[in-house]
Amino acid sequence: KKIHSSVIHASVIEANKQIMKKLRLPLGTKVFQLVRVRFIDQEPFLLETSFIEHHRFEGIEKFNFEKESLYKILEDVYGVN
């Protein structure tokens, strides 16, 4: 079975109250929002939204998350493991 992703939306936004609360961020914090549909053998099975604190991961919005793994980028580029 082949798994792949399609990016619906990817941008840096200001976190709303719900995001700030869940991520314990101060008011006005910018986050990278990534919305993807995940597919197994061309069939959609998951709608995924990620919010990532932008100042800790500056430049993350420049990656192509249809071709690159978010978790691989976090590990290889930003040292998260």
Side-chain angles (χ1 to χ4, degrees), residues 10-45:
S11 68
V12 177
I13 63 169
E14 193 170 297
N16 64 28
K17 282 185 180 183
Q18 182 181 12
I19 297 165
M20 289 179 347
K21 200 174 196 181
K22 293 285 185 190
L23 295 179
R24 299 181 187 147
L25 300 173
L27 184 65
T29 300
K30 296 205 180 299
V31 294
F32 174 63
Q33 179 184 29
L34 177 62
V35 182
R36 300 182 288 180
V37 176
R38 310 284 263 171
F39 295 84
I40 296 176
D41 292 334
Q42 305 299 323
E43 292 292 323
F45 75 98

Side-chain angles (χ1 to χ4, degrees), residues 52 56-57 60 63 65 68-81:
I52 300 166
R56 290 182 63 197
F57 303 98
I60 196 162
F63 292 94
F65 290 105
E68 300 183 76
S69 162
L70 172 60
Y71 301 104
K72 188 97 171 105
I73 294 297
L74 290 174
E75 183 176 17
D76 293 350
V77 177
Y78 298 99
V80 175
N81 54 22

